[in-house]
Amino acid sequence: MTYERPLAEPGPDVQGPTPAEKAGREAVREQAQGMGHHEAVAAFRRLAAAKDSPSEDEAEGGEAGADGGGRRLAELEEWERIVAQLSVHAGTYDAESDPYVQGERAAH
């Protein structure tokens, strides 16, 4: 038997994703729909190589970037998450069966 302690409620200083970040993640999920691992890797690399993508230093610092709302960084992070998911799962991406997306929807 295990004891599960309930998670503490987040404090008032904890902020959720911005509208721009939410829009970026949703756009990536729509693009990724039906993609296999190699296609998702190629899409991530194209986005990472774009001139307006944040540098690794900016990404590590959590800076919002040129878009001001953090959309591009959120898109890059979402591609990374999807690529990682597809690397351990044979098949194509489907947001309807993505455990992260389903958990996100259940939380709201």
Side-chain angles (χ1 to χ4, degrees):
M1 180 182 265
T2 62
Y3 172 75
E4 294 185 26
R5 183 180 308 183
L7 294 174
E9 289 294 319
D13 57 333
V14 175
Q15 298 179 7
T18 66
E21 290 169 331
K22 288 180 184 178
R25 289 186 183 108
E26 188 59 38
V28 168
R29 293 171 189 160
E30 288 175 18
Q31 291 173 26
Q33 190 69 27
M35 283 187 177
H37 180 258
H38 296 296
E39 294 168 305
V41 168
F44 167 74
R45 287 182 178 159
R46 279 192 303 273
L47 186 65
K51 289 183 179 186
D52 60 344
S53 287
S55 69
E56 286 186 38
D57 290 339
E58 290 170 328
E60 288 175 9
E63 296 176 26
D67 61 10
R71 179 179 173 134
R72 182 54 59 92
L73 184 57
E75 290 173 346
L76 288 166
E77 290 171 345
E78 189 67 3
W79 275 119
E80 283 185 310
R81 188 189 68 75
I82 290 170
V83 165
Q85 179 183 346
L86 290 173
S87 71
V88 295
H89 147 356
T92 58
Y93 179 75
D94 180 15
E96 295 304 315
S97 62
D98 183 336
Y100 182 85
V101 173
Q102 297 312 309
E104 198 174 60
R105 289 178 182 168
H108 297 286

